[in-house]
Amino acid sequence: MRNWYLTRKRILKYSIILLLPLTIAAAKLYTSAFIDWDKTEAIKSHTGWTRNLLKGPTRSLDMLEIQAFTLYPGKVTHTYLVDRQNDELFIVKEGAADISINNDVKHLIEGDLAVAFQDNRVIIRNNGKTNLIYYSIRFKPKAIKPVSKQTRKSRTIFGGIDTLKTIRTPDGVRRNISNKATPSLRNLDIHLATIKADFDGLEPETHSEEEIVLMKNGTVFGSLGGKSYRVGQGSILFITNEDQVKISNGGETDCEFYVIRWLTWTPEAKK
């Protein structure tokens, strides 16, 4: 009886080893995609709602996770630590948030953002009288630069869009929020772009790195990876560095969206 038990245990062990490559292969990399806010599912909880918008590995990241949370007035998130080897970006979609990162509390209104780093302690409160809706975007790269105690204490990024400098562009304006290295990423570029109402878009182009376009106001349309799209406020485009994208203004007024790009460390870059 014992011999049969040992034999069965060995069979199970080797079966797992043989199936492991298939399991890894099944975790396919995310390709370019557009996520229409109006078609996302909201999951109710005792504090509000959760929308799971995207989660999976990409060409440059072990994991990219995008969620949108709704907090009822007077509600608060549990206190948590940002996972190791992660950066987490928060953007306020509607309402106002009091966000505490390592006991540094900031009041963020619609359009404002913050970036927390690994091991940072985070808590978010809705002290207003209306619902708070905010995005959480988590980046986990495949490789990171060696982390020192000083790096872990990197200053948190807070972005108040009302204080940003406006830069004129051929299709509208651009406002830079942040463009620098973080403890996990070689570079994190976040800016707010405005496209004029009469802008029909440039020819489809391929960008040099992966990026996210998150709609703040208005409607955009165009093509992404050979597929046509038309999305409005709250929607997201995830664009790889292999697919062509075209973005045009699909409304009668100017539209605004965040552009979020990142560069990661490579094993060669760490040496």
Side-chain angles (χ1 to χ4, degrees):
M1 186 70 178
R2 178 175 175 79
N3 289 338
W4 163 243
Y5 172 77
L6 293 174
T7 301
R8 187 175 62 175
K9 189 174 181 180
R10 291 192 188 100
I11 293 173
L12 179 61
K13 175 182 177 181
Y14 290 115
S15 297
I16 293 173
I17 293 173
L18 291 172
L19 289 173
L20 185 59
L22 299 176
T23 303
I24 295 173
K28 295 181 179 179
L29 301 180
Y30 252 102
T31 56
S32 295
F34 47 90
I35 302 161
D36 189 336
W37 175 270
D38 293 332
K39 297 180 181 178
T40 59
E41 179 186 4
I43 303 169
K44 191 173 183 179
S45 70
H46 68 283
T47 58
W49 302 84
T50 300
R51 285 178 167 86
N52 298 310
L53 305 177
L54 185 152
K55 183 177 181 180
T58 74
R59 288 170 173 80
S60 66
L61 300 171
D62 263 350
M63 183 63 65
L64 172 63
E65 183 174 13
I66 306 176
Q67 294 177 291
F69 297 98
T70 299
L71 272 183
Y72 296 141
K75 296 297 183 180
V76 59
T77 66
H78 66 279
T79 303
Y80 68 95
L81 293 179
V82 177
D83 290 341
R84 297 298 307 276
Q85 199 173 321
N86 277 250
D87 292 328
E88 186 169 1
L89 166 62
F90 305 94
I91 300 178
V92 177
K93 181 179 185 291
E94 298 177 21
D98 290 309
I99 181 169
S100 171
I101 302 177
N102 289 343
N103 296 320
D104 185 7
V105 181
K106 298 292 184 181
H107 182 72
L108 305 183
I109 61 174
E110 181 179 320
D112 290 349
L113 60 83
V115 183
F117 309 129
Q118 61 177 0
D119 297 334
N120 285 178
R121 187 178 299 276
V122 177
I123 185 168
I124 300 174
R125 292 182 173 86
N126 181 2
N127 289 325
K129 297 180 179 180
T130 61
N131 286 347
L132 160 66
I133 303 177
Y134 68 93
Y135 298 92
S136 164
I137 304 176
R138 299 182 184 92
F139 308 88
K140 183 180 181 181
K142 299 179 184 296
I144 64 171
K145 186 178 181 180
V147 178
S148 65
K149 292 182 179 179
Q150 182 177 2
T151 305
R152 291 181 190 173
K153 295 180 180 179
S154 297
R155 189 172 181 180
T156 304
I157 298 172
F158 289 105
I161 60 172
D162 289 339
T163 63
L164 300 177
K165 181 180 178 180
T166 297
I167 303 171
R168 296 290 174 183
T169 63
D171 54 352
V173 298
R174 168 179 173 146
R175 288 181 280 176
N176 295 323
I177 300 172
S178 180
N179 188 6
K180 62 181 182 180
T182 72
S184 297
L185 298 170
R186 188 153 60 97
N187 192 71
L188 179 61
D189 175 11
I190 309 170
H191 62 269
L192 187 63
T194 301
I195 293 183
K196 296 180 293 187
D198 58 352
F199 182 70
D200 190 33
L202 304 172
E203 290 300 314
E205 59 181 349
T206 302
H207 297 169
S208 59
E209 61 268 346
E210 295 177 324
E211 68 180 69
I212 294 167
V213 170
L214 192 159
M215 291 299 301
K216 183 177 183 293
N217 294 304
T219 302
V220 294
F221 73 97
S223 60
L224 176 58
K227 297 180 180 179
S228 299
Y229 70 86
R230 185 183 185 91
V231 294
Q233 182 186 22
S235 300
I236 292 172
L237 306 180
F238 169 66
I239 307 165
T240 72
N241 55 347
E242 293 186 352
D243 291 328
Q244 290 189 329
V245 60
K246 178 178 180 178
I247 299 177
S248 301
N249 190 335
E252 298 179 353
T253 59
D254 293 353
C255 65
E256 290 182 296
F257 53 83
Y258 299 91
V259 178
I260 305 157
R261 298 172 178 161
W262 57 91
L263 294 173
T264 59
W265 298 97
T266 63
E268 293 77 14
K270 293 195 297 180
K271 293 179 181 179

